[in-house]
Amino acid sequence: SEGNARKLVFVHGYNVSFDDAARRAAQISYDIGFTGQPMAFSWPSRAALTGYFDDEKAIAASVPAMLTFFRELAEQSGPGEIYVLAHSMGNRGTTLALAQLFQERPELRDRFRHILLMAPDIDAEVFKRDIAPVFARQDDQITLYASANDKALQASRLVHGGPRLGQADPIAILPGIESIDASQVSTDLLGHSYYAEGSSVVSDLVEVVSERGPAAS
């Protein structure tokens, strides 16, 4: 059936093992009642709190593999069958790979129904300047979720010396991308995993994948 042809791809962030990525993909699919095939793209995180800089190198090196994965998945899918949910550092590889795919194979863009950027640990200015003009388009369904209370991204900002895309201070407003401020969502101590723990965000995702309407503002 049409519902069963849909795919939900979860791309994990920093400090996540293969097993945890698979479990999170399954849990998200269950929580939002996704009627289709859940899957996870697992890149080689060290799965350790001390592995941040190694994870940065790993996600950068994973972009060619992610490009191949998304291209092959799109080639095997019909229009609007693919949903992508990327979290934290996983957004770096996801957005770069999809931007490259959309440049090289523009006919595959319509295979992606909705792309969800959750708490992206990406340099905000680099994204606005280099990625968004290629990645986003007015008729694409792309949603950015950001929070001013994300302590993990606050730490990343100190490390990198510049604001991260997933911070809402202020939230990034970009053509072709819907921006959702999740600052009021009650979640873990770091405020970085609200995609899985914040009930209002989960409800919002239910609306998105059920096609009952756009993301709530």
Side-chain angles (χ1 to χ4, degrees):
S1 67
E2 181 181 353
N4 290 334
R6 301 193 303 166
K7 297 98 175 170
L8 174 63
V9 181
F10 172 65
V11 183
H12 65 82
Y14 145 72
N15 186 25
V16 177
S17 68
F18 176 88
D19 289 346
D20 282 343
R23 279 192 290 267
R24 292 184 189 190
Q27 187 65 52
I28 292 166
S29 179
Y30 175 81
D31 287 346
I32 66 177
F34 185 72
T35 55
Q37 180 181 2
M39 57 185 70
F41 183 96
S42 182
W43 50 276
S45 166
R46 275 191 58 200
L49 286 173
T50 56
Y52 184 84
F53 296 108
D54 287 336
D55 278 10
E56 286 194 310
K57 295 174 184 176
I59 189 65
S62 297
V63 172
M66 298 180 79
L67 171 60
T68 298
F69 168 76
F70 282 123
R71 181 177 62 244
E72 293 181 353
L73 183 65
E75 289 172 343
Q76 298 167 18
S77 302
E81 289 184 353
I82 304 171
Y83 296 77
V84 179
L85 191 160
H87 180 237
S88 187
M89 194 182 288
N91 282 278
R92 299 190 201 180
T94 299
T95 56
L96 287 171
L98 288 178
Q100 188 172 340
L101 176 63
F102 295 160
Q103 280 188 303
E104 296 177 356
R105 298 287 301 279
E107 74 277 11
L108 295 179
R109 289 185 78 118
D110 71 346
R111 311 297 170 87
F112 294 83
R113 173 79 65 166
H114 213 112
I115 302 168
L116 302 144
L117 311 179
M118 293 284 181
D121 186 3
I122 304 176
D123 185 291
E125 294 306 315
V126 170
F127 182 84
K128 293 174 187 177
R129 184 186 68 236
D130 300 334
I131 303 175
V134 179
F135 177 65
R137 194 175 62 180
Q138 287 297 340
D139 58 350
D140 277 343
Q141 298 225 28
I142 301 173
T143 304
L144 161 67
Y145 291 83
S147 172
N149 299 318
D150 191 323
K151 293 180 174 60
L153 292 186
Q154 291 171 13
S156 179
R157 178 175 186 162
L158 291 175
V159 169
H160 294 285
R164 314 312 285 167
L165 184 64
Q167 294 182 288
D169 54 353
I171 194 168
I173 304 298
L174 300 164
I177 298 178
E178 183 175 18
S179 297
I180 304 296
D181 189 338
S183 300
Q184 301 307 312
V185 174
S186 177
T187 181
D188 64 12
L189 292 176
L190 292 178
H192 194 55
S193 298
Y194 49 81
Y195 73 95
E197 299 174 13
S199 59
S200 61
V201 172
V202 172
S203 298
D204 194 50
L205 297 182
V206 171
E207 294 294 313
V208 170
V209 302
S210 66
E211 305 301 319
R212 290 201 290 265
S217 59

